[in-house]
Amino acid sequence: ASLWSAGPTGITQEVLEVIPVLCHNLKFINLSNLAVLLEDHAAAIVRGCKKLRRFYLAGCKEITPEGLERLRGIRKDNQLTILVGRNH
């Protein structure tokens, strides 16, 4: 399963809070340029979506370089790639 946003959409903080609870089968998620995405949301998604393989976060201004390193450290299985460059 995939979820692609890549820009201003109707995705709210409330939606971000339910993704890790309800979307356990997500393999790809693109939340690039989503202004409401906070590091806590991203961390919850990484923890809750165990099948996640690619997480696109380009242009997410609330994700700091330090936060990105914390996100990458959550999963120890080396199966998740977090991309922060240009939109893919």
Side-chain angles (χ1 to χ4, degrees):
S2 300
L3 175 63
W4 294 87
S5 166
T9 64
I11 295 181
T12 63
Q13 288 191 357
E14 290 79 16
V15 171
L16 292 169
E17 290 170 5
V18 300
I19 290 172
V21 176
L22 300 177
C23 302
H24 299 285
N25 291 321
L26 276 179
K27 290 184 179 179
F28 307 98
I29 187 167
N30 185 345
L31 298 177
S32 296
N33 299 309
L34 192 61
V36 297
L37 181 71
L38 303 176
E39 185 181 324
D40 289 345
H41 296 129
I45 290 168
V46 169
R47 284 188 194 98
C49 301
K50 303 281 188 214
K51 295 182 181 182
L52 194 61
R53 297 296 173 251
R54 289 195 180 261
F55 196 175
Y56 299 91
L57 296 173
C60 293
K61 294 177 175 41
E62 296 297 323
I63 308 293
T64 64
E66 296 80 14
L68 182 59
E69 287 307 310
R70 284 190 291 273
L71 289 175
R72 289 184 169 138
I74 292 172
R75 295 264 298 272
K76 305 298 183 197
D77 59 12
N78 294 322
Q79 297 295 313
L80 175 62
T81 301
I82 299 175
L83 301 152
V84 293
R86 292 188 348 225
N87 291 343
H88 295 74

